[in-house]
Amino acid sequence: MNNNVHVGSATGPTLPSGWNLVAVADFNGDDHPDYVLFRPSTGQSVIWYMSGATHISTRSAPTAVAGYDLVGAADFDGNGTPDFVFWNSGTGRTAIWYMNDNVRIGSADGPTLPSGWSLIAP
């Protein structure tokens, strides 16, 4: 994309059954966006390191706390690396896990969303 104009595309890798693509961010600092996959049934997460549309390698990432879903990634602590964002749909609570590549190095409670609000698109 160039702003709102489609300028090209490529077919990416097929996701394994039961896994959701929840974020795209550069976790290993190679200037290529990586995929963050989440398996809601187990709370497992993995990072697929990418080069363009090609899956290069996979590393395990932390397992979510029961009741929380991994819903995104962004640099919340301003250190130049993406962090995980979790959401509990039952309570509306959010949490941020500060990451160094695929390793959790800290955490913080995020805001609780108002009743009826969601961090996941319908």
Side-chain angles (χ1 to χ4, degrees):
M1 301 295 288
N2 181 6
N3 193 6
N4 63 335
V5 177
H6 178 257
V7 295
S9 60
T11 302
T14 301
L15 302 181
S17 178
W19 290 84
N20 298 328
L21 176 63
V22 297
V24 177
D26 182 10
F27 278 84
N28 59 351
D30 66 355
D31 293 325
H32 294 282
D34 305 308
Y35 284 6
V36 179
L37 304 182
F38 178 68
R39 185 178 214 163
S41 64
T42 63
Q44 294 172 286
S45 63
V46 296
I47 300 171
W48 276 13
Y49 299 102
M50 305 291 291
S51 178
T54 303
H55 173 212
I56 302 299
S57 65
T58 303
R59 291 187 78 184
S60 294
T63 299
V65 173
Y68 282 80
D69 288 317
L70 178 57
V71 295
D75 183 9
F76 284 90
D77 56 0
N79 69 351
T81 61
D83 306 305
F84 282 0
V85 181
F86 293 89
W87 174 59
N88 182 312
S89 62
T91 64
R93 294 187 66 182
T94 63
I96 300 165
W97 285 5
Y98 302 116
M99 304 292 291
N100 181 8
D101 193 5
N102 68 317
V103 178
R104 176 183 167 188
I105 58 172
S107 63
D109 290 332
T112 298
L113 299 183
S115 179
W117 287 40
S118 172
L119 281 180
I120 300 174

